[in-house]
Amino acid sequence: LRTRHLAQFKEAMLDADAPVRVIIDASDCQEVAEKHGEWLGAGLHVVTNNTLALTGSMDAYRQLFKQRAETGARYVYGTAYGDRLPVASTVTTLVSSGDTVRIVEGVLSASVSFVLSKMCPPAHSQDKSVPFSQAVREGMESGLFEQDPRDDLSGQHSAKQLLCLGRDLGYEFDLEHIATDGLFTGQSLAGASPAQVEEMMRAHDQALEAKVAAAQAKGCVLRFLATLKHDEATPLTPTATLRLTEIPASHPFAALNGSCIAVSLLTDEHADQPLVISGAISLTSCVNALYSDLIRAARTLDTRARDRGPVLGSP
């Protein structure tokens, strides 16, 4: 579907003789994301992992959810942060129960997590450290990176996920409020082969190897840590950061290996022991998670589905 056909696509969806009309946006296209509000306003349900509609200005964000509220259309974006892990559903449950999340910590990018665990393996691993450039190439060959690997390495992809999570917690802030210090912020890497990117990243190997050595000398590992902290002085605007951080061995994120991501939620109800959600991410898991969102949305929308009884494999 070409973007110039989006208007025709919407009309075709509205004319369809179907009890439930759901649009799935698995793109990373700004023009498509800008249509979400229009589709919701027309009563079309949207299932998506495209964070661009959710990470625009606060005015645009409010307008998006106003359009949804006007028609009651479902807007399902459970994979916009946390991928297949039940992070968004946990956040929703905590908020709806009246709990207050005080501190969020996360390793949100599977690709960067993979790179750093290759460079600085966890203590329990028998793997040997490899240079940054080699780890990036291997991550690209595994299909973990965005179309432009710079989005992952600069921290922009993680920042968008952190913004989505923070806004779901009720905070009102924008991407520029997240202090981000990425691993690479140079030229676009879109279209470059893994071997070409490896060659370009070699200039950063020495500096990052020194940081790995410094962390290991302290018994720590390096991870690209997202943090979001509640500030009583500015209750609607959290303190949010994304940076390479030395993680002590006692921290749950120190054990992350491969493409594992994790989120830790310290709340009023979970003040002594934070909730930690973690797991490995793959290209297949991304697709499966989006499909799962679609099935859940369809079953809650179609009354006939609710009357058909349990489906195969259900408890």
Side-chain angles (χ1 to χ4, degrees):
L1 177 68
R2 298 184 183 276
T3 52
R4 67 173 181 270
H5 296 149
L6 288 175
Q8 297 167 274
F9 176 66
K10 171 193 164 186
E11 294 307 316
M13 289 290 292
L14 291 172
D15 291 340
D17 182 17
V20 178
R21 300 173 182 85
V22 183
I23 296 176
I24 306 170
D25 176 13
S27 76
D28 190 27
C29 176
Q30 181 67 48
E31 189 174 350
V32 176
E34 290 172 356
K35 294 293 183 180
H36 287 191
E38 180 182 326
W39 293 336
L40 293 167
L44 297 169
H45 311 289
V46 178
V47 175
T48 186
N49 61 357
N50 185 346
T51 60
L52 294 174
L54 295 160
T55 56
S57 69
M58 273 306 303
D59 286 342
Y61 183 82
R62 293 188 189 98
Q63 179 63 20
L64 176 68
F65 283 89
K66 179 183 177 183
Q67 288 171 297
R68 183 193 71 165
E70 287 172 349
T71 63
R74 289 290 303 278
Y75 191 39
V76 184
Y77 53 91
T79 55
Y81 59 90
D83 200 85
R84 68 175 181 85
L85 303 183
V87 179
S89 59
T90 300
V91 166
T92 299
T93 299
L94 291 172
V95 172
S96 62
S97 70
D99 199 358
T100 298
V101 178
R102 299 291 176 179
I103 300 175
V104 176
E105 289 186 332
V107 172
L108 303 175
S109 169
S111 57
V112 177
S113 181
F114 176 90
V115 167
L116 289 173
S117 71
K118 285 286 185 178
M119 294 171 58
C120 194
H124 68 270
S125 173
Q126 300 299 313
D127 295 337
K128 293 183 178 180
S129 177
V130 304
F132 171 65
S133 56
Q134 179 183 333
V136 172
R137 173 179 58 77
E138 292 179 7
M140 289 183 66
E141 290 172 344
S142 298
L144 293 172
F145 277 89
E146 296 294 306
Q147 292 183 355
D148 185 351
R150 181 183 61 176
D151 291 346
D152 300 84
L153 297 172
S154 68
Q156 282 304 298
H157 183 60
S158 294
K160 289 174 183 176
Q161 294 190 66
L162 186 61
L163 181 61
C164 289
L165 194 163
R167 285 179 169 177
D168 269 2
L169 288 172
Y171 291 114
E172 299 182 358
F173 66 122
D174 295 303
L175 277 174
E176 55 263 32
H177 293 119
I178 303 175
T180 304
D181 187 9
L183 301 177
F184 172 78
T185 57
Q187 68 191 76
S188 171
L189 302 173
S193 69
Q196 290 171 326
V197 172
E198 180 180 24
E199 184 63 32
M200 287 186 276
M201 294 301 105
R202 284 197 176 117
H204 304 276
D205 282 348
Q206 188 173 356
L208 287 170
E209 284 172 11
K211 292 182 178 181
V212 167
Q216 291 175 330
K218 301 174 186 175
C220 299
V221 295
L222 282 181
R223 296 294 179 260
F224 194 55
L225 188 69
T227 61
L228 188 151
K229 296 182 180 180
H230 182 76
D231 189 342
E232 294 291 353
T234 56
L236 291 180
T237 306
T239 301
T241 61
L242 269 165
R243 59 171 60 100
L244 198 59
T245 304
E246 294 179 351
I247 303 292
S250 59
H251 195 289
F253 294 177
L256 295 180
N257 201 13
S259 61
C260 286
I261 63 172
V263 172
S264 169
L265 302 164
L266 188 70
T267 78
D268 286 348
E269 294 292 332
H270 301 273
D272 297 325
Q273 185 76 29
L275 289 170
V276 179
I277 306 164
S278 66
I281 302 302
S282 68
L283 184 60
T284 302
S285 71
C286 298
V287 175
N288 289 344
L290 193 62
Y291 181 68
S292 177
D293 275 353
L294 170 63
I295 296 301
R296 281 198 298 270
R299 293 196 68 192
T300 59
L301 289 166
D302 187 355
T303 56
R304 294 178 306 171
R306 293 198 295 272
D307 293 337
R308 281 197 288 266
V311 296
L312 290 176
S314 64

